[in-house]
Amino acid sequence: IGAGVMGGGIAAHFANAGVPVILLDIVPKDAPKSDAPNARNARDAVARKGLDATIKSKPASFFHPSRAQLVEVGNLEDDLERLAACDLVIEAVVENLDIKRKLLARLDQVLTGDQIVASNTSGLRIAEMLEGRSDSLRKRFLVMHFFNPPRYMKLLEIIRGAETDPAAVATIAELASRRLGKGVVYARDTPNFIGNRILSIHGSFVMDYALEHGYRFEEVDALTGPLIGRPKSATFRLQDLVGIDVAWFVAQNLHGLIPDDPHRDVLASPRLEKLIGGLIERGRLGNKSGHGFYRKTKGESGGTVFAVLDPETFDYEPQREPGFESLAAAGKVRDLGERIAALFDERFDEDRGARFARAVVSHFLGYAAAVAPEVAFDLPSVDRAIRWGFSYELGPFELWDRLGVAATAERMEAAGVAVAPWVRAMLEAGHASFYRREDGRTTGYWDWTAESYQDLHRDPRHIAVEDLRLDGKELRGNAGASLLDLGDGVLLLELHSKMNALDDRVAAMMNEARELLDDDAWRGLVIGNDGPDFSVGSNLVAVAEAARQGDFDGIRAASRALQEALQALRYAPKPVVSAVHGMALGGGCEVAIGTRRLLAAAESYLGLVEVGVGLLPAGGGLKELVRRVISPAMALADADPLPAARKALETAAMAVVSTSAAEAAELGFLGPEDRVVMNRDQLLWEARQEVLKMAEEGRTPAAEKLYAGGRDLYAALRIAVWQLEQAGYASAHDALIARRVAYVLAGGDASAPRWVDEDVFLRLEREAFAELVATEKTQERIAYMLKTGKPLRN
């Protein structure tokens, strides 16, 4: 209920999970009565407009536009009684207590069954919202606080009322974790809960401190972004992104809700009021209005140039590069704890940048500790809320442990930042850290109520590769990959080279995995890892070096080695499943689609992107497009191969990368037996279960025949390439690459269509790959990519 930004986003994400949704909003004041002819569209206009905006939103709210078909719009006058047939009703109407109360009163009359009712409020108290409501509704009511955008933000804060049935809470937690892919945190029923409470106060402090001490906005953002483990949006860019008016409304609303919080005055700082009031008065609301703290313009060369606001004149001036010695020195340190510790080094005591970073970090730790017992049930919930809801690298207590609790507390107190009494009591009792670590892993956390360590709860469906390693489960490995015991007789092939790129070491470990599958001790294999991405492709350095030496036979041999390793795994006597997440590009995509079954995290981005460096897929990728896209289409009587072949050509020759696992299925990378896993943390567990299920079924794949269209199909695809070239979408070298892709997809230029062995396509891939590597323009593209990380159009 409520089709605004949050309501539409929540509806979209349920639809992403395959759940049908009714999206309701108010009836427009000028709408005709319900019994008027053709009145329905006008009466549903607000919800329909909200759904249309959600479909067009960027970043995309839906995994694929087709998922919007699961959302049906309606209105609160004609359709309210339909909600009785729903399992879950979520209200996401305007953050106004009176409006929410009136809506809940209506729902109380309609929802007389066992439906769970939730609010997406970000700060209103449950007791206040439920005033006057029935005992039945009170037992079924809770808060589900999604973070925006709901598709991408992992955090879901769940808050129960005094009378909420624990079974309802457990049901929603399971739904959120498995079906929606969320990280669940239980919060106390206090204003703005955990994440927004801490970061509203902290964010206001950072901005106010910057104004008080004369820091430029670009200096603040350089110091409060990745340098201290926070997103690139940092502080003032984040305000522009959220909307300056929205952020200010939240701050002012919170100020009135926490009269007893001694830190709340920063929310009403006269400095902030003058600055933000001035921006709102001038209509400068951030990205949505085109300017806020920053203004984006076109430079003389045509590129994007950012100008930054002068808070005194409200004029914009060119950005300046921050000139802090501490920023340059600390920025070179990879480890976050060591990087922040460097900013506290005495050699930077007079450095303005270090002083600012110290004030920010100290306030973050100090306020989080001060308010934690009020807003959270335990310490890990605070850290998870900050990491999952705001993409911080570490939560406050994780970070404090890394810096050293006692030493940091002393520095904070010396700087005038109070250390919470419970933290001081923990240190005085002889405990030096918030988390207990044993044998290299975190096993417990400090309980501020019990004043002792409690065992850390772990999701039983979350398998961490590092934990397997700590348990001695690594069987063998090299610099590119390792084999580990995943449990229950299932092997894990973990890629762990730089960016998980493929090379001869990875191929060698694939072959060792295949050999182990002949042992009766093993039931199957999962290919996956815990890195940010599954694999970004093959090692270009090796390709470039071989090309420089003219070793094209070696290039063919390397391509054959990867093909043969993947084919051996695909046709192994035991099941092999790839567990894909993040980017699976180029050779990484070929590994993903080359196994017997693919499980993909919802946010998986697959693509055969080799054309970007002047090459084509040669690890079985084009063969897989023929197997997955063209051959199934040709299994039908009197089928025309061209539509399917053009789709495959466009996917490979235009380096199309899916924006989700659902779109990857649309492109043909996921087949009918492959599936999407919503919770990334549970991917390896789900893949292991898939292997066990397949092993129980006992099926082994037989070698397949693939459709080779031959000369006529190749000619038709060449025309498509020519059209792209003539329209200016492809350079001459792009067209050469695309023709080679077309030749492989057609299975060569045989005089008549035929069904052939997979080896035919694999051989064509290798030959075309070696041919392209030998060209000067492809070598230029490879060199440019290795130097700049960007594709070259030549």
Side-chain angles (χ1 to χ4, degrees):
I1 301 175
V5 172
M6 283 305 299
I10 294 168
H13 198 56
F14 272 89
N16 287 337
V19 179
V21 181
I22 300 173
L23 179 63
L24 305 184
D25 212 306
I26 61 172
V27 175
K29 292 181 180 179
D30 59 351
K33 293 184 178 180
S34 59
D35 57 358
N38 303 315
R40 191 65 188 198
N41 283 342
R43 293 175 67 79
D44 295 344
V46 176
R48 190 173 304 282
K49 181 180 179 181
L51 177 59
D52 289 344
T54 304
I55 293 171
K56 297 173 184 175
S57 64
K58 293 188 181 303
S61 296
F62 288 99
F63 287 163
H64 188 271
S66 63
R67 296 298 171 97
Q69 296 172 10
L70 284 171
V71 182
E72 181 183 356
V73 298
N75 68 75
L76 282 167
E77 292 183 18
D78 303 326
D79 299 301
L80 197 65
E81 292 186 357
R82 295 180 60 199
L83 301 186
C86 295
D87 299 305
L88 171 63
V89 176
I90 302 176
E91 72 81 8
V93 302
V94 65
E95 194 77 341
N96 178 289
L97 181 59
D98 186 53
I99 291 174
K100 289 184 185 289
R101 280 176 173 171
K102 289 177 179 178
L103 174 61
L104 291 173
R106 297 178 66 192
L107 292 177
D108 207 354
Q109 300 300 312
V110 174
L111 304 177
T112 58
D114 59 358
Q115 307 91 348
I116 295 175
V117 183
S119 171
N120 184 57
T121 179
S122 60
L124 296 177
R125 305 286 294 273
I126 291 178
E128 294 173 338
M129 288 190 288
L130 289 181
E131 188 174 298
R133 299 284 56 81
S134 69
D135 291 342
S136 174
L137 183 60
R138 290 172 182 274
K139 291 177 181 177
R140 295 177 284 126
F141 187 86
L142 45 77
V143 168
M144 296 176 68
H145 183 214
F146 289 84
F147 279 65
N148 193 36
R151 168 183 167 180
Y152 300 95
M153 300 310 297
K154 180 176 180 177
L155 178 62
L156 177 72
E157 290 179 323
I158 294 180
I159 302 91
R160 59 173 297 181
E163 299 164 75
T164 308
D165 185 348
V169 176
T171 296
I172 293 302
E174 177 71 4
L175 165 78
S177 177
R178 295 206 75 179
R179 292 295 297 276
L180 301 181
K182 295 299 176 187
V184 172
V185 164
Y186 300 100
R188 294 186 185 275
D189 188 14
T190 57
N192 284 34
F193 313 127
I194 300 175
N196 281 347
R197 173 70 172 275
I198 293 173
L199 289 192
S200 290
I201 296 281
H202 178 61
S204 294
F205 166 83
V206 174
M207 293 190 293
D208 188 59
Y209 187 94
L211 293 173
E212 181 183 4
H213 294 88
Y215 287 88
R216 291 173 59 85
F217 299 150
E218 69 268 44
E219 291 178 332
V220 173
D221 285 345
L223 292 165
T224 59
L227 178 74
I228 59 172
R230 302 182 182 184
K232 292 180 180 178
S233 52
T235 299
F236 290 103
R237 290 190 189 279
L238 178 62
Q239 294 283 311
D240 279 354
L241 181 65
V242 171
I244 291 169
D245 55 337
V246 173
W248 185 242
F249 170 79
V250 170
Q252 297 311 292
N253 185 59
L254 178 60
H255 183 268
L257 295 173
I258 52 172
D260 298 326
D261 189 326
H263 299 81
R264 76 167 187 150
D265 287 346
V266 73
L267 296 170
S269 157
R271 284 182 289 266
L272 289 179
E273 188 170 0
K274 177 184 175 182
L275 171 62
I276 295 177
L279 286 170
I280 293 174
E281 182 181 327
R282 291 168 172 80
R284 302 179 185 179
L285 307 180
N287 294 355
K288 62 185 176 184
S289 66
H291 50 344
F293 291 109
Y294 292 89
R295 184 181 67 190
K296 185 167 64 173
T297 59
K298 290 287 185 183
E300 295 180 1
S301 62
T304 300
V305 175
F306 286 94
V308 66
L309 183 78
D310 182 324
E312 296 298 326
T313 66
F314 284 90
D315 293 329
Y316 291 91
E317 54 187 43
Q319 287 191 101
R320 303 177 200 165
E321 191 70 27
F324 304 129
E325 181 186 354
S326 60
L327 177 61
K332 298 175 183 177
V333 181
R334 287 181 62 95
D335 180 79
L336 175 61
E338 294 176 7
R339 192 160 66 240
I340 295 179
L343 293 169
F344 280 88
D345 191 287
E346 60 183 14
R347 65 191 168 117
F348 296 129
D349 284 349
E350 302 304 316
D351 183 280
R352 288 183 70 246
R355 286 205 301 270
F356 187 85
R358 294 173 185 181
V360 169
V361 172
S362 296
H363 181 271
F364 177 52
L365 304 182
Y367 184 66
V371 78
E374 177 190 343
V375 300
F377 292 101
D378 55 47
L379 181 152
S381 295
V382 177
D383 284 333
R384 290 167 183 162
I386 299 302
R387 281 192 284 108
W388 295 345
F390 301 91
S391 300
Y392 279 33
E393 190 173 332
L394 295 174
F397 303 112
E398 294 165 331
L399 176 58
W400 205 337
D401 269 358
R402 294 281 287 276
L403 296 175
V405 180
T408 303
E410 289 181 11
R411 285 194 291 259
M412 289 165 59
E413 290 182 326
V417 178
V419 174
W422 70 267
V423 176
R424 180 56 63 195
M426 181 188 81
L427 292 171
E428 290 173 354
H431 303 290
S433 64
F434 296 109
Y435 288 94
R436 180 184 66 205
R437 290 185 63 81
E438 298 173 317
D439 299 325
R441 79 184 75 207
T442 303
T443 60
Y445 65 92
W446 181 257
D447 185 321
W448 49 61
T449 301
E451 297 187 341
S452 62
Y453 286 104
Q454 304 295 317
D455 290 339
L456 188 67
H457 170 74
R458 294 178 175 274
D459 180 352
R461 301 189 190 101
H462 179 201
I463 299 175
V465 177
E466 187 57 32
D467 284 347
L468 296 177
R469 197 165 269 117
L470 289 171
D471 287 337
K473 300 294 186 181
E474 184 168 8
L475 306 175
R476 58 185 74 174
N478 57 36
S482 293
L483 283 169
L484 300 98
D485 181 353
L486 193 57
D488 293 335
V490 179
L491 284 166
L492 172 67
L493 173 61
E494 177 209 16
L495 310 182
H496 54 62
S497 59
K498 184 178 180 180
M499 301 183 76
N500 297 332
L502 307 179
D503 54 22
D504 54 352
R505 297 169 301 184
V506 175
M509 200 53 58
M510 287 180 179
N511 290 330
E512 292 197 39
R514 171 62 189 87
E515 291 175 5
L516 279 179
L517 288 179
D518 287 331
D519 191 318
D520 290 341
W522 303 109
R523 304 184 69 186
L525 170 73
V526 171
I527 303 177
N529 61 75
D530 269 349
D533 299 297
F534 180 75
S535 171
V536 298
S538 298
N539 187 336
L540 274 180
V541 175
V543 176
E545 180 61 22
R548 189 184 66 80
Q549 296 179 5
D551 184 12
F552 301 110
D553 287 340
I555 289 171
R556 290 186 184 89
S559 176
R560 179 191 286 272
L562 178 60
Q563 289 177 343
E564 290 179 346
L566 282 172
Q567 287 290 92
L569 290 177
R570 173 168 178 75
Y571 292 107
K574 295 169 184 173
V576 178
V577 171
S578 51
V580 178
H581 67 281
M583 291 189 291
L585 305 178
C589 182
E590 291 180 296
V591 172
I593 64 179
T595 55
R596 197 185 306 179
R597 192 158 299 173
L598 190 164
L599 265 61
E603 298 299 339
S604 293
Y605 316 114
L606 286 78
L608 297 169
V609 298
E610 287 86 350
V611 298
V613 288
L615 299 169
L616 53 66
L622 294 181
K623 178 266 295 182
E624 279 299 306
L625 284 181
V626 174
R627 189 179 74 83
R628 291 169 173 265
V629 178
I630 300 175
S631 294
M634 296 312 296
L636 304 174
D638 301 321
D640 178 1
L642 187 56
R646 284 196 65 152
K647 176 181 177 180
L649 175 66
E650 290 170 3
T651 298
M654 299 183 73
V656 177
V657 177
S658 72
T659 59
S660 67
E663 190 179 23
E666 183 78 10
L667 294 171
F669 293 136
L670 272 68
E673 292 189 314
D674 300 328
R675 63 186 178 91
V676 176
V677 175
M678 292 293 288
N679 193 320
R680 161 71 184 91
D681 290 342
Q682 298 172 2
L683 181 61
L684 289 178
W685 184 89
E686 292 279 5
R688 185 180 70 186
Q689 301 310 109
E690 193 73 19
V691 166
L692 295 174
K693 174 187 170 186
M694 294 169 69
E696 193 67 27
E697 293 171 351
R699 291 184 295 160
T700 55
E704 298 184 49
K705 296 286 187 178
L706 304 183
Y707 180 82
R711 180 182 59 198
D712 292 345
L713 180 58
Y714 177 47
L717 293 177
R718 282 181 63 113
I719 292 173
V721 173
W722 179 82
Q723 290 171 334
L724 285 173
E725 187 177 12
Q726 293 302 303
Y729 293 115
S731 68
H733 195 56
D734 292 330
L736 171 65
I737 300 165
R739 286 193 295 271
R740 298 273 57 80
V741 171
Y743 187 77
V744 177
L745 292 175
D749 57 0
S751 59
R754 65 210 193 282
W755 291 84
V756 301
D757 292 335
E758 291 179 326
D759 284 345
V760 170
F761 290 93
L762 295 173
R763 176 180 54 79
L764 291 172
E765 281 184 2
R766 296 193 300 271
E767 293 303 319
F769 187 87
E771 175 188 331
L772 289 170
V773 172
T775 65
E776 181 180 349
K777 290 189 179 294
T778 285
Q779 293 179 24
E780 289 174 356
R781 290 190 179 193
I782 294 173
Y784 190 81
M785 176 62 75
L786 290 173
K787 181 178 179 180
T788 69
K790 299 177 181 179
L792 172 67
R793 185 84 183 275
N794 60 353

PDB file of all heavy atoms in Angstrom, residues 318-340:
ATOM      1  N   PRO A 318      35.035  25.631  -9.612  1.00  0.00           N
ATOM      2  CA  PRO A 318      35.682  24.359  -9.981  1.00  0.00           C
ATOM      3  C   PRO A 318      36.190  23.607  -8.750  1.00  0.00           C
ATOM      4  O   PRO A 318      36.626  24.204  -7.764  1.00  0.00           O
ATOM      5  CB  PRO A 318      36.847  24.808 -10.874  1.00  0.00           C
ATOM      6  CG  PRO A 318      36.434  26.146 -11.383  1.00  0.00           C
ATOM      7  CD  PRO A 318      35.641  26.787 -10.297  1.00  0.00           C
ATOM      8  N   GLN A 319      36.119  22.273  -8.836  1.00  0.00           N
ATOM      9  CA  GLN A 319      36.672  21.448  -7.765  1.00  0.00           C
ATOM     10  C   GLN A 319      38.185  21.618  -7.694  1.00  0.00           C
ATOM     11  O   GLN A 319      38.843  21.854  -8.705  1.00  0.00           O
ATOM     12  CB  GLN A 319      36.367  19.967  -8.012  1.00  0.00           C
ATOM     13  CG  GLN A 319      34.938  19.559  -7.780  1.00  0.00           C
ATOM     14  CD  GLN A 319      34.804  18.053  -7.794  1.00  0.00           C
ATOM     15  OE1 GLN A 319      34.722  17.418  -6.767  1.00  0.00           O
ATOM     16  NE2 GLN A 319      34.768  17.472  -8.973  1.00  0.00           N
ATOM     17  N   ARG A 320      38.703  21.467  -6.509  1.00  0.00           N
ATOM     18  CA  ARG A 320      40.148  21.470  -6.323  1.00  0.00           C
ATOM     19  C   ARG A 320      40.582  20.115  -5.791  1.00  0.00           C
ATOM     20  O   ARG A 320      39.850  19.463  -5.048  1.00  0.00           O
ATOM     21  CB  ARG A 320      40.565  22.548  -5.318  1.00  0.00           C
ATOM     22  CG  ARG A 320      40.137  23.951  -5.674  1.00  0.00           C
ATOM     23  CD  ARG A 320      40.550  24.905  -4.565  1.00  0.00           C
ATOM     24  NE  ARG A 320      39.787  26.139  -4.593  1.00  0.00           N
ATOM     25  CZ  ARG A 320      39.740  26.998  -3.582  1.00  0.00           C
ATOM     26  NH1 ARG A 320      40.402  26.731  -2.460  1.00  0.00           N
ATOM     27  NH2 ARG A 320      39.020  28.115  -3.677  1.00  0.00           N
ATOM     28  N   GLU A 321      41.768  19.725  -6.173  1.00  0.00           N
ATOM     29  CA  GLU A 321      42.325  18.468  -5.672  1.00  0.00           C
ATOM     30  C   GLU A 321      42.767  18.664  -4.232  1.00  0.00           C
ATOM     31  O   GLU A 321      43.588  19.551  -3.953  1.00  0.00           O
ATOM     32  CB  GLU A 321      43.508  18.031  -6.530  1.00  0.00           C
ATOM     33  CG  GLU A 321      43.987  16.615  -6.256  1.00  0.00           C
ATOM     34  CD  GLU A 321      43.006  15.562  -6.730  1.00  0.00           C
ATOM     35  OE1 GLU A 321      42.230  15.826  -7.679  1.00  0.00           O
ATOM     36  OE2 GLU A 321      43.005  14.463  -6.143  1.00  0.00           O
ATOM     37  N   PRO A 322      42.239  17.866  -3.276  1.00  0.00           N
ATOM     38  CA  PRO A 322      42.679  18.019  -1.883  1.00  0.00           C
ATOM     39  C   PRO A 322      44.183  17.807  -1.764  1.00  0.00           C
ATOM     40  O   PRO A 322      44.736  16.872  -2.352  1.00  0.00           O
ATOM     41  CB  PRO A 322      41.903  16.926  -1.145  1.00  0.00           C
ATOM     42  CG  PRO A 322      40.709  16.662  -2.002  1.00  0.00           C
ATOM     43  CD  PRO A 322      41.190  16.847  -3.417  1.00  0.00           C
ATOM     44  N   GLY A 323      44.838  18.670  -1.010  1.00  0.00           N
ATOM     45  CA  GLY A 323      46.296  18.608  -0.921  1.00  0.00           C
ATOM     46  C   GLY A 323      46.813  18.144   0.418  1.00  0.00           C
ATOM     47  O   GLY A 323      47.819  18.676   0.905  1.00  0.00           O
ATOM     48  N   PHE A 324      46.136  17.176   1.014  1.00  0.00           N
ATOM     49  CA  PHE A 324      46.551  16.712   2.343  1.00  0.00           C
ATOM     50  C   PHE A 324      47.626  15.636   2.229  1.00  0.00           C
ATOM     51  O   PHE A 324      47.453  14.643   1.521  1.00  0.00           O
ATOM     52  CB  PHE A 324      45.355  16.143   3.105  1.00  0.00           C
ATOM     53  CG  PHE A 324      44.199  17.106   3.246  1.00  0.00           C
ATOM     54  CD1 PHE A 324      42.919  16.721   2.886  1.00  0.00           C
ATOM     55  CD2 PHE A 324      44.402  18.382   3.724  1.00  0.00           C
ATOM     56  CE1 PHE A 324      41.855  17.592   3.021  1.00  0.00           C
ATOM     57  CE2 PHE A 324      43.345  19.272   3.864  1.00  0.00           C
ATOM     58  CZ  PHE A 324      42.063  18.878   3.503  1.00  0.00           C
ATOM     59  N   GLU A 325      48.712  15.812   2.956  1.00  0.00           N
ATOM     60  CA  GLU A 325      49.783  14.809   2.958  1.00  0.00           C
ATOM     61  C   GLU A 325      49.270  13.480   3.512  1.00  0.00           C
ATOM     62  O   GLU A 325      49.616  12.408   3.013  1.00  0.00           O
ATOM     63  CB  GLU A 325      50.955  15.318   3.800  1.00  0.00           C
ATOM     64  CG  GLU A 325      52.133  14.343   3.844  1.00  0.00           C
ATOM     65  CD  GLU A 325      53.221  14.785   4.802  1.00  0.00           C
ATOM     66  OE1 GLU A 325      53.112  15.906   5.344  1.00  0.00           O
ATOM     67  OE2 GLU A 325      54.168  14.004   5.021  1.00  0.00           O
ATOM     68  N   SER A 326      48.433  13.562   4.536  1.00  0.00           N
ATOM     69  CA  SER A 326      47.910  12.342   5.156  1.00  0.00           C
ATOM     70  C   SER A 326      47.065  11.540   4.173  1.00  0.00           C
ATOM     71  O   SER A 326      47.099  10.310   4.175  1.00  0.00           O
ATOM     72  CB  SER A 326      47.067  12.707   6.378  1.00  0.00           C
ATOM     73  OG  SER A 326      45.970  13.542   6.004  1.00  0.00           O
ATOM     74  N   LEU A 327      46.295  12.232   3.350  1.00  0.00           N
ATOM     75  CA  LEU A 327      45.440  11.552   2.369  1.00  0.00           C
ATOM     76  C   LEU A 327      46.292  10.791   1.365  1.00  0.00           C
ATOM     77  O   LEU A 327      46.010   9.632   1.035  1.00  0.00           O
ATOM     78  CB  LEU A 327      44.562  12.587   1.655  1.00  0.00           C
ATOM     79  CG  LEU A 327      43.642  12.079   0.549  1.00  0.00           C
ATOM     80  CD1 LEU A 327      42.644  11.074   1.084  1.00  0.00           C
ATOM     81  CD2 LEU A 327      42.907  13.255  -0.105  1.00  0.00           C
ATOM     82  N   ALA A 328      47.352  11.425   0.888  1.00  0.00           N
ATOM     83  CA  ALA A 328      48.235  10.767  -0.083  1.00  0.00           C
ATOM     84  C   ALA A 328      48.943   9.572   0.527  1.00  0.00           C
ATOM     85  O   ALA A 328      49.073   8.514  -0.105  1.00  0.00           O
ATOM     86  CB  ALA A 328      49.254  11.776  -0.612  1.00  0.00           C
ATOM     87  N   ALA A 329      49.385   9.707   1.791  1.00  0.00           N
ATOM     88  CA  ALA A 329      50.134   8.620   2.427  1.00  0.00           C
ATOM     89  C   ALA A 329      49.237   7.455   2.796  1.00  0.00           C
ATOM     90  O   ALA A 329      49.525   6.294   2.487  1.00  0.00           O
ATOM     91  CB  ALA A 329      50.858   9.150   3.659  1.00  0.00           C
ATOM     92  N   ALA A 330      48.118   7.743   3.466  1.00  0.00           N
ATOM     93  CA  ALA A 330      47.222   6.674   3.912  1.00  0.00           C
ATOM     94  C   ALA A 330      46.552   5.977   2.742  1.00  0.00           C
ATOM     95  O   ALA A 330      46.250   4.784   2.806  1.00  0.00           O
ATOM     96  CB  ALA A 330      46.172   7.236   4.868  1.00  0.00           C
ATOM     97  N   GLY A 331      46.298   6.710   1.664  1.00  0.00           N
ATOM     98  CA  GLY A 331      45.633   6.124   0.504  1.00  0.00           C
ATOM     99  C   GLY A 331      46.395   4.980  -0.134  1.00  0.00           C
ATOM    100  O   GLY A 331      45.818   4.187  -0.880  1.00  0.00           O
ATOM    101  N   LYS A 332      47.684   4.873   0.164  1.00  0.00           N
ATOM    102  CA  LYS A 332      48.506   3.805  -0.406  1.00  0.00           C
ATOM    103  C   LYS A 332      48.431   2.504   0.399  1.00  0.00           C
ATOM    104  O   LYS A 332      48.948   1.471  -0.034  1.00  0.00           O
ATOM    105  CB  LYS A 332      49.963   4.261  -0.489  1.00  0.00           C
ATOM    106  CG  LYS A 332      50.184   5.473  -1.384  1.00  0.00           C
ATOM    107  CD  LYS A 332      51.625   5.940  -1.321  1.00  0.00           C
ATOM    108  CE  LYS A 332      51.837   7.198  -2.163  1.00  0.00           C
ATOM    109  NZ  LYS A 332      53.231   7.712  -2.058  1.00  0.00           N
ATOM    110  N   VAL A 333      47.788   2.561   1.571  1.00  0.00           N
ATOM    111  CA  VAL A 333      47.719   1.388   2.461  1.00  0.00           C
ATOM    112  C   VAL A 333      46.477   0.586   2.121  1.00  0.00           C
ATOM    113  O   VAL A 333      45.364   1.115   2.110  1.00  0.00           O
ATOM    114  CB  VAL A 333      47.680   1.829   3.938  1.00  0.00           C
ATOM    115  CG1 VAL A 333      47.623   0.608   4.849  1.00  0.00           C
ATOM    116  CG2 VAL A 333      48.894   2.700   4.263  1.00  0.00           C
ATOM    117  N   ARG A 334      46.617  -0.702   1.837  1.00  0.00           N
ATOM    118  CA  ARG A 334      45.489  -1.532   1.404  1.00  0.00           C
ATOM    119  C   ARG A 334      44.539  -1.868   2.541  1.00  0.00           C
ATOM    120  O   ARG A 334      43.322  -1.766   2.392  1.00  0.00           O
ATOM    121  CB  ARG A 334      46.000  -2.841   0.775  1.00  0.00           C
ATOM    122  CG  ARG A 334      46.610  -2.677  -0.594  1.00  0.00           C
ATOM    123  CD  ARG A 334      47.056  -4.039  -1.136  1.00  0.00           C
ATOM    124  NE  ARG A 334      45.927  -4.938  -1.298  1.00  0.00           N
ATOM    125  CZ  ARG A 334      45.257  -5.103  -2.436  1.00  0.00           C
ATOM    126  NH1 ARG A 334      45.579  -4.401  -3.504  1.00  0.00           N
ATOM    127  NH2 ARG A 334      44.254  -5.951  -2.511  1.00  0.00           N
ATOM    128  N   ASP A 335      45.048  -2.278   3.683  1.00  0.00           N
ATOM    129  CA  ASP A 335      44.216  -2.725   4.788  1.00  0.00           C
ATOM    130  C   ASP A 335      43.522  -1.527   5.444  1.00  0.00           C
ATOM    131  O   ASP A 335      44.163  -0.525   5.779  1.00  0.00           O
ATOM    132  CB  ASP A 335      45.071  -3.455   5.825  1.00  0.00           C
ATOM    133  CG  ASP A 335      44.245  -3.936   7.007  1.00  0.00           C
ATOM    134  OD1 ASP A 335      43.580  -4.976   6.876  1.00  0.00           O
ATOM    135  OD2 ASP A 335      44.259  -3.242   8.045  1.00  0.00           O
ATOM    136  N   LEU A 336      42.195  -1.638   5.631  1.00  0.00           N
ATOM    137  CA  LEU A 336      41.431  -0.514   6.167  1.00  0.00           C
ATOM    138  C   LEU A 336      41.881  -0.130   7.568  1.00  0.00           C
ATOM    139  O   LEU A 336      42.067   1.057   7.870  1.00  0.00           O
ATOM    140  CB  LEU A 336      39.939  -0.848   6.167  1.00  0.00           C
ATOM    141  CG  LEU A 336      39.018   0.200   6.809  1.00  0.00           C
ATOM    142  CD1 LEU A 336      39.121   1.532   6.074  1.00  0.00           C
ATOM    143  CD2 LEU A 336      37.572  -0.293   6.820  1.00  0.00           C
ATOM    144  N   GLY A 337      42.024  -1.114   8.459  1.00  0.00           N
ATOM    145  CA  GLY A 337      42.447  -0.805   9.820  1.00  0.00           C
ATOM    146  C   GLY A 337      43.789  -0.100   9.840  1.00  0.00           C
ATOM    147  O   GLY A 337      43.973   0.901  10.551  1.00  0.00           O
ATOM    148  N   GLU A 338      44.747  -0.593   9.063  1.00  0.00           N
ATOM    149  CA  GLU A 338      46.063   0.027   9.011  1.00  0.00           C
ATOM    150  C   GLU A 338      45.990   1.417   8.378  1.00  0.00           C
ATOM    151  O   GLU A 338      46.731   2.332   8.762  1.00  0.00           O
ATOM    152  CB  GLU A 338      47.021  -0.863   8.222  1.00  0.00           C
ATOM    153  CG  GLU A 338      47.311  -2.209   8.892  1.00  0.00           C
ATOM    154  CD  GLU A 338      48.187  -3.103   8.035  1.00  0.00           C
ATOM    155  OE1 GLU A 338      48.671  -2.625   6.985  1.00  0.00           O
ATOM    156  OE2 GLU A 338      48.383  -4.272   8.402  1.00  0.00           O
ATOM    157  N   ARG A 339      45.077   1.570   7.403  1.00  0.00           N
ATOM    158  CA  ARG A 339      44.935   2.860   6.721  1.00  0.00           C
ATOM    159  C   ARG A 339      44.420   3.934   7.681  1.00  0.00           C
ATOM    160  O   ARG A 339      44.945   5.045   7.730  1.00  0.00           O
ATOM    161  CB  ARG A 339      43.988   2.690   5.538  1.00  0.00           C
ATOM    162  CG  ARG A 339      43.969   3.855   4.598  1.00  0.00           C
ATOM    163  CD  ARG A 339      43.426   3.448   3.243  1.00  0.00           C
ATOM    164  NE  ARG A 339      42.026   3.065   3.269  1.00  0.00           N
ATOM    165  CZ  ARG A 339      41.564   1.858   2.908  1.00  0.00           C
ATOM    166  NH1 ARG A 339      42.415   0.925   2.512  1.00  0.00           N
ATOM    167  NH2 ARG A 339      40.274   1.599   2.936  1.00  0.00           N
ATOM    168  N   ILE A 340      43.384   3.588   8.460  1.00  0.00           N
ATOM    169  CA  ILE A 340      42.850   4.562   9.411  1.00  0.00           C
ATOM    170  C   ILE A 340      43.837   4.795  10.546  1.00  0.00           C
ATOM    171  O   ILE A 340      44.009   5.929  11.022  1.00  0.00           O
ATOM    172  CB  ILE A 340      41.476   4.098   9.929  1.00  0.00           C
ATOM    173  CG1 ILE A 340      40.469   4.080   8.768  1.00  0.00           C
ATOM    174  CG2 ILE A 340      40.990   5.015  11.041  1.00  0.00           C
ATOM    175  CD1 ILE A 340      39.085   3.625   9.161  1.00  0.00           C
TER     176      ILE A 340
END
